Structure formats: C-alpha cells, structure tokens
Amino acid sequence: MKDIEINTENGILGAVFGETGLTSLVFDGVEVLRGLSAPVRDPSWGTMKEDGIATSLVKTEGGWLYTRTARLADGQARQEMTIRLESEGNGFSVTARFRLQAEHGFATNRAGFCLLHPLAGLRGAPLHLKHSDGRETATHFPALIAPAQPARDIAAMEHRIGAIACSYRFSGEVFEMEDQRNWSDASYKTYCRPLSLPVPVRLEAGERIEQEVFITLSRNGSSDPAQSASQKQQTVRLPELLLIAEPGTVAAPPVKPSGWLLREGPDNPFSDDALSAFSDLSGGTPFDLEYITGDDPEAELAAFAERLSRLGLAPRHVIALPDAYLKSYQPEGPWPDPPTPEDAVKAAARAFPAARIGAGMLTLFTELNRCPPPQALGDYVTYGTSAIVHAADTASVFQTLEALPDIFASAKAHAGKRPQRLGLVAIPMRSNPYGAGLADNPDGGPKTMAGFDGRHFTGEGAAFAACAVLLAAACGIEAMALAAPRGPLGLHDANGEPTPLADMIEALSRFAGAATELVQHDDGAMTLCGSVGRLHVDPATRHVTFTEEN
C-alpha cells in the first residue's frame, strides 16, 4: 500500500494505492471512493490470474500519477491502467484510463473499470444520471438493498457526500451500477458491460479495449461539524449458533453447538449409516434440515422423512429448495422450469408436519433478494452470506461487516413477521451460485469465491464471526451457522487443536438463553456484557477477548 496526499488551498485529498489500483480516496476527511480498479473476469466471474504486475506512483506538477501494467497469466493479453490525481478549480480531479490488448483469443465476462462508492453518506442519497442518448434521470442510491441495477446506461452522474460534490464521466463502454450489499460488499459499484448483455464475450488476438473515467470533486458548502464519539446500547439475545452437518464433515466438535444444520442433497447424500452416526454424535441436540430436491419434491421429501423417522431423527426446522435454485438469476429471469421454491416449501410442510418450515435460499442473500418468498409462505426465512464474493483482501473482508445490518434489514422487509434463521455466515463460500464451482485454493490464501480460506482458522476468523454474531443479535436474528466440525469450514487446526473460532463459540455459548447488553461503539467495536462476563471484539484490530466474571 502507498499513501499520498495533495494539500492545497482547495483542501486535502488523501489516497491509498495498492497492487490492483486505488483503494481509498478521502477529501477533507470524507471518504468519496473506496475502490477504482480494472479487473478482468473469467467466464465463472473469477478474477483472471495475472503475472508481470508492475506499479509505480510518481509525483507530478500539481498531483500524482499511478501506473499499473500486467499480463494475463496465460499470455492472453497485456494491459495498462493509469490514475492521475490533480488539483483543479475549487477541488480535485481524477483521470483514469485503461487499455487492454488481446494477444491470443480468450473469453471474459467483464474487462474494465470498476468504481466502489462507500455506504456512509450515500444510503438513500440523491443521484443524478445522464444517459448515452442525452436523457437525464433523477434517482437515489438505494436505502434497502436493490435486487437489480439501480442505475443503468450511465454516461455521466453526479451526487454529494456531505459537503463534497462528486461528478463522473465515462467513455469507452456502457456503465451501470449495482448494489454490492447484495453480496455483503460494503459499497455501491459502478462498472462496465451491463449484465443484460450476454456473457462470456470472446476477444480475438489484436482486439483492444480502451476506457476512461473522469471524476471531479469539489466543496459545496461547509462540512457537518465533527461528531463526538458515541455508542449504542441495547438488550439482546444471541442467535442460536449452529454447526453444519454434511457427509464428510460430521465429527465430534470441540464445542457443543446450540443445534445442527444438516444438509441432504443429490450431489452429497447421507447414507443410513452416516445418518445413524450423526444421531449418535448429536446426542439429541436439535437439528434443522436443509433439503435440496430434484424434479419431484413431494416424493423425495416424503421418502427422506420416512428414513429419518425410521432412524429416530426428527428435525425441528425444515427448508427445501429445488437444486436449480442453487444458481443465481437476474430478478427479471428467465427462471428455471418447475418445481419452484414454493412447490418445495409446500412439499416440506406435508412431509414434516411437526416441524417449522422455512422459505428462502440455501445460497446467499443475493438470491433471496432476487427471488423473495411470498409473505404467507413458511414460518421463517433463510439465506447465507460470504465475505469473499468480489474481493478477498482482509480489509475488504472486514468491510463487509458494514453491510450486514443492511442485509438483515432488507431481509426483514421480505420476511415480514417471519423470523430469520440463517445458513452459513462466514468468510469462505459454501457454494458458488455464479459459476461452475468454488475456486480452487489449496494454500488457503485470500482468493474470491473459494471454499477454503485460511483466515477461517485464525484469530481473524474468530473476530469476523464474533462481529457477525453480535450484529445479528442486534437485528434479532434467531439462528445462524458459523462452521462445521471439520473440513474447510472446520473447528480444528492442522494439529487437531481447537481453533480461535471454536474458543469464541465456546465463549459466546455462555451468554446463550439470557438477555445481555450489547454496546456498539462509534469506531465499530462491540462489547457484550452479561452475568457470565464480558466479550469485546474490535474489527479494526481483528481481535476478540472474553473476560469471565469472577
């Protein structure tokens, strides 16, 4: 990371540059951008590997110039991006240019500029658009999370963050905006190549992509007076903390869970022996059932209910979903042929009359937001989240915590009076709704859309999970899963010892079932206080501590 500052009579512009581009832009203490880069996406929406990456940051007359050059790892193309920051008028300008030259034919879903706008100061704020045909539109940044693009065909746009007026012009491609909180990213994203156009696109040898983004920032009025540090205190009950049970992951956990989240599906079914072993292991601990159906939910669920009954197993909650809905679709479709999610929910209710029946998705909030269950369907609503859909660096991972309250509030708007019982809420992904599968990541380093992430097994994983649990408690979430006993979501390290996440779950379990006081500090830290002790987590330092009451 390289930090620079331009200090003029117009104000102070601070910027942070990393290997991929601009990662922060702050004007007089107001964050106006948290990302400006030009990734190249593969046909599964992963970021294509690069080599020969070179970056430079040099001071120029009146500003700074950042240059990034790279080649796609298999030699398909070479690319260059420049970002120039300068003092201009009563503010500053940012001029970004991107050029890609294909050397061999290759397929890509997207190649070009991506801008990330912060959430603070923009939720529900006015947004003025100019389109490619000259039309102008007055709209707003979404307050609740938009399932579809809130802005399309963007040639230029303007908005304000506090006293800062921000103006953008785009060329070289068609740009649009999406609400990245759908994937728990803490940003709105303006990007090129609209999702309504077919993908992937094949670039042949010799083809070029050239784009430009021009941004002006100016002061328009005085800043709001600085607010003193504050905190929010409320009485909460912690959600039930579930452990995932799938064939291959069921084992004796180092902590006792509130319950289990057992998933049965055609790609990884339980044998009768495995179900019997689960029955012995769980020892009567309640379990919820996630059932992935094929073409005949009625018959499949009835048969599985009979198997469970024969083995003396009775789920307290059941959610069923057709396997086609493990993939993602745009809100306008086209949608898969029947059976529908509603068909599966009704079949589950008939197969398990004693259980509470869920509705929703077995993937991410995105899919719930795009296909919300009817208000009268089911007894609760479910979905999951992952912190590494679009970015996997640790700063971005912890920024996703900013979006979780928005996700919970938006899901509540869909759920109505139904409570929320969540699936996996974690750094890694459990499945990939957007491509052929999870990204291969054997070394566990930061990688988008990976099912294995080494941070899950460290103190960072424990701190992330603790923040997620406390934010969920503040929003009244009834249950959530954080891990599995073993495997890529496990609770043992390479030496077989309990991970920091296991220790954190053990500490949180002491607060279970009782009303406790949650303090949310102005800096993002949170403290849970109860008769058993005090748990404090700070996302800035990525550290969680539990102090037992004497």
Side-chain angles (χ1 to χ4, degrees):
M1 292 288 187
K2 299 178 181 178
D3 296 37
I4 63 98
E5 186 175 277
I6 305 175
N7 193 338
T8 73
E9 61 183 12
N10 300 328
I12 301 175
L13 185 71
V16 180
F17 289 94
E19 189 178 85
T20 61
L22 182 69
T23 60
S24 177
L25 191 65
V26 177
F27 185 180
D28 281 358
V30 177
E31 183 184 26
V32 292
L33 271 182
R34 60 175 34 175
L36 174 56
S37 61
V40 182
R41 305 296 191 191
D42 64 26
S44 291
W45 291 106
T47 302
M48 296 186 72
K49 293 181 180 179
E50 299 173 321
D51 58 22
I53 300 171
T55 64
S56 67
L57 182 63
V58 296
K59 190 168 176 51
T60 64
E61 185 177 351
W64 292 82
L65 176 64
Y66 171 90
T67 302
R68 181 187 192 273
T69 58
R71 298 175 66 89
L72 296 184
D74 293 330
Q76 303 99 324
R78 64 180 186 272
Q79 54 187 310
E80 179 184 73
M81 177 178 65
T82 61
I83 303 175
R84 184 182 296 274
L85 308 181
E86 296 178 294
S87 176
E88 180 175 297
N90 67 340
F92 299 92
S93 68
V94 182
T95 305
R97 293 186 173 94
F98 173 69
R99 179 188 304 161
L100 180 144
Q101 173 84 42
E103 298 188 343
H104 302 288
F106 70 100
T108 176
N109 278 3
R110 180 179 297 156
F113 277 121
C114 171
L115 293 79
L116 303 181
H117 312 276
L119 300 181
L122 287 182
R123 293 179 181 92
L127 173 64
H128 187 85
L129 305 172
K130 185 173 182 178
H131 305 287
S132 58
D133 60 3
R135 290 180 301 110
E136 297 189 17
T137 303
T139 184
H140 290 79
F141 286 90
L144 292 178
I145 300 173
Q149 291 74 26
R152 303 176 193 253
D153 184 21
I154 306 171
M157 68 183 191
E158 297 177 352
H159 66 77
R160 288 170 54 97
I161 304 181
I164 308 302
C166 307
S167 175
Y168 304 78
R169 295 201 312 267
F170 305 93
S171 65
E173 247 288 11
V174 178
F175 284 77
E176 66 183 20
M177 182 186 291
E178 68 185 9
D179 193 337
Q180 285 218 124
R181 296 174 296 171
N182 266 303
W183 298 271
S184 75
D185 299 72
S187 59
Y188 303 97
K189 179 172 74 175
T190 302
Y191 58 94
C192 60
R193 187 161 182 88
L195 290 174
S196 58
L197 298 179
V199 291
V201 173
R202 184 168 179 82
L203 294 178
E204 300 298 345
E207 288 193 68
R208 299 178 70 176
I209 292 174
E210 293 187 357
Q211 299 167 8
E212 181 176 288
V213 177
F214 182 69
I215 307 170
T216 59
L217 308 170
S218 59
R219 177 171 298 286
N220 188 351
S222 60
S223 297
D224 295 331
Q227 306 227 341
S228 59
S230 61
Q231 60 185 32
K232 173 185 175 183
Q233 184 167 341
Q234 66 185 114
T235 301
V236 301
R237 287 184 180 271
L238 292 186
E240 299 171 18
L241 301 183
L242 312 179
L243 289 183
I244 289 170
E246 289 183 332
T249 70
V250 178
V255 295
K256 182 176 175 58
S258 305
W260 293 84
L261 188 62
L262 186 147
R263 178 174 290 189
E264 170 74 2
D267 292 337
N268 193 23
F270 275 92
S271 66
D272 280 359
D273 287 344
L275 285 173
S276 294
F278 169 74
S279 178
D280 294 339
L281 177 69
S282 61
T285 301
F287 77 96
D288 295 3
L289 172 64
E290 297 177 330
Y291 192 94
I292 301 168
T293 78
D295 294 334
D296 191 350
E298 199 79 37
E300 295 164 27
L301 283 158
F304 194 69
E306 191 278 327
R307 285 181 64 199
L308 293 181
S309 178
R310 178 163 36 88
L311 295 168
L313 290 167
R316 57 177 178 170
H317 303 94
V318 178
I319 167 69
L321 188 74
D323 56 2
Y325 286 82
L326 296 179
K327 294 300 180 185
S328 193
Y329 307 90
Q330 289 299 306
E332 64 271 16
W335 295 98
D337 293 332
T340 67
E342 189 169 355
D343 295 331
V345 169
K346 292 178 178 178
R350 287 187 284 270
F352 296 95
R356 290 172 77 203
I357 304 300
M361 293 292 162
L362 300 182
T363 48
L364 305 180
F365 167 78
T366 324
E367 287 64 60
L368 176 84
N369 204 27
R370 291 174 169 177
C371 184
Q375 287 282 342
L377 188 68
D379 301 305
Y380 65 93
V381 167
T382 190
Y383 56 91
T385 70
S386 166
I388 55 171
V389 176
H390 288 127
D393 62 282
T394 299
S396 295
V397 163
F398 277 81
Q399 281 178 349
T400 66
L401 295 167
E402 295 178 38
L404 287 185
D406 290 352
I407 286 177
F408 300 149
S410 298
K412 182 176 177 59
H414 292 311
K417 296 182 179 180
R418 294 167 294 182
Q420 299 179 51
R421 297 183 63 85
L422 308 186
L424 179 67
V425 175
I427 296 175
M429 288 184 78
R430 192 176 183 187
S431 63
N432 181 4
Y434 318 111
L438 294 168
D440 187 37
N441 192 31
D443 64 0
K447 189 171 186 178
T448 58
M449 300 194 185
F452 171 52
D453 190 300
R455 290 168 294 196
H456 176 81
F457 297 88
T458 70
E460 288 180 337
F464 179 89
C467 287
V469 170
L470 298 187
L471 291 170
C475 296
I477 303 300
E478 190 175 276
M480 61 198 301
L482 302 175
R486 67 181 180 191
L489 299 172
L491 291 175
H492 292 93
D493 63 19
N495 298 318
E497 297 297 319
T499 64
L501 176 55
D503 295 337
M504 189 277 295
I505 293 174
E506 170 64 27
L508 284 175
S509 69
R510 304 189 186 193
F511 295 89
T516 54
E517 293 300 312
L518 173 63
V519 179
Q520 294 180 266
H521 305 277
D522 191 58
D523 60 1
M526 289 177 282
T527 306
L528 187 69
C529 304
S531 60
V532 297
R534 177 178 179 273
L535 185 139
H536 182 79
V537 59
D538 185 348
T541 61
R542 294 148 201 167
H543 191 61
V544 55
T545 57
F546 172 65
T547 305
E548 191 170 6
E549 185 70 25
N550 293 327

